[in-house]
């Protein structure tokens, strides 16, 4: 039996529609439009692409975006000043600092400089700390982990009481998604590069979140029949049949695992579109909070 394919593109489009309606209502009632500031340091092509996609998505739902393209050699103090100015700007409800930052910049200090109320990426150390504690809600949850949970919820997949296995423990995906699953009363295992008998651990999962960055690492015989799989990985593999010479695959061998799983996200078209949708969600929620709408 082939798995239900969780269509992240369609779910993200639905969410963007919901946000567009909220933005319209906010503008009609308060004459206010949510604003997102995107801070980009240097000229990394991938970062430029991500920021461009985020600004385009903002425009589509009626959110104003403010771009701050800064030179690679900007000093820590100058960058912090940009962030402080955005903190003070009432038109800006969310500030995203595109990662990675150049090596000479202390990213923890920069992320910690973002006003807690505008931390729409959810990377401020206080928001991450709150996410890791019981009954201490963060103001914002990081976008990719939040998108993973939203995909499960909107696909009708129960989390409470289930055995969840998270592959990866990074600050931006693995760790926060694990905390979210724990808060939703899953029984949780977090795996990483030193985990022994990875296939054996993965086979226990009712819910598997894969975020390791290793192309098609999880094979069909690693998973239990009926598992729900959220594949966060985005990996480029050589493919001479494609014009651009490569294709994108996840951390899960999709064709094998879909024959065993109950539900699975594709790559591309699974978690990716949700990350941006959750950024729009967080920015809109921030504006609503400012207006006392929540
Ligand atoms: P990181 O490289 O920061 O973290 C990878 C994690 O996987 C680490 O915890 C590492 O373990 C673990 N790991 C690496 N190799 C293995 C292995 N062979 N066996 C078990 N564990 C392993 O990656 P990110 O969390 O930033 O990203 C993960 C993937 O998700 C990437 O493909 C990335 O492109 C994608 N991504 C997708 C997004 C989206 O919007 N769809 C957004 C963000 C990321 P250890 O801690 O021991 O080193």
């Amino acid at each position: 039996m082939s798995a239900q394919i969780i269509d992240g593109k369609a779910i993200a489009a639905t969410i963007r529609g919901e946000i567009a309606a909220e933005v319209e209502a906010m503008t009609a009632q308060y004459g206010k439009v949510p604003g997102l500031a995107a801070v980009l340091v240097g000229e990394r092509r991938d970062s430029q692409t991500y920021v461009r996609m985020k600004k385009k998505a903002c425009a589509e739902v009626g959110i104003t975006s403010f771009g701050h393209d800064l030179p690679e050699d900007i000093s820590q103090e100058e960058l912090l000043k940009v962030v402080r100015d955005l903190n003070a700007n009432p038109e800006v409800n969310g500030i995203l600092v595109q990662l990675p930052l150049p090596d000479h910049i202390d990213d923890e200090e920069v992320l910690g400089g973002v006003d807690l109320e505008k931390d729409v990426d959810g990377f401020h150390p206080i928001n991450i700390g709150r996410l890791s504690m019981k009954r201490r809600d963060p103001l914002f949850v990081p976008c990719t982990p939040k998108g993973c949970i939203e995909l499960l919820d909107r696909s009708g997949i129960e989390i409470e009481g289930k055995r969840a296995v998270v592959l990866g423990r990074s600050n931006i995906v693995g760790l926060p998604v694990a905390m979210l699953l724990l808060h939703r009363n899953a029984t949780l295992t977090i795996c990483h590069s030193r985990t022994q008998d990875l296939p054996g651990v993965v086979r226990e999962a009712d819910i598997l979140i894969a975020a390791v960055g290793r192309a098609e690492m999880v094979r069909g015989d690693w998973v239990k029949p009926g598992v729900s799989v959220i594949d966060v990985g985005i990996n480029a593999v050589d493919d001479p049949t494609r014009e651009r010479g490569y294709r994108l695959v996840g951390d899960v061998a999709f064709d094998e695992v879909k024959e065993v799983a109950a539900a699975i996200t594709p790559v591309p078209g699974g978690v990716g579109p949700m990350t941006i949708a959750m950024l729009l969600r967080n920015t809109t929620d921030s504006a609503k909070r400012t207006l006392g709408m929540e």
Side-chain angles (χ1 to χ4, degrees), residues 120-185:
V120 287
D121 261 339
F123 292 152
H124 190 293
I126 291 183
N127 273 328
I128 291 285
R130 285 184 180 167
L131 183 66
S132 309
M133 295 163 88
K134 208 173 170 183
R135 287 192 287 276
R136 299 268 203 292
D137 285 339
L139 284 168
F140 299 100
V141 171
C143 300
T144 301
K146 183 169 169 153
C148 293
I149 301 296
E150 195 77 30
L151 283 174
L152 292 170
D153 285 344
R154 291 191 184 234
S155 305
I157 296 163
E158 183 84 41
I159 300 175
E160 175 144 349
K162 295 290 163 58
R163 292 195 75 96
V165 173
V166 176
L167 294 182
R169 56 176 168 182
S170 74
N171 287 336
I172 62 167
V173 190
L175 211 59
V177 82
M179 292 304 113
L180 291 172
L181 289 162
L182 195 59
H183 292 317
R184 293 287 296 272
N185 299 319

Side-chain angles (χ1 to χ4, degrees), residues 86-97:
L86 293 171
N87 285 343
N89 183 345
E91 301 299 314
V92 172
N93 300 104
I95 302 169
L96 87 84
V97 179

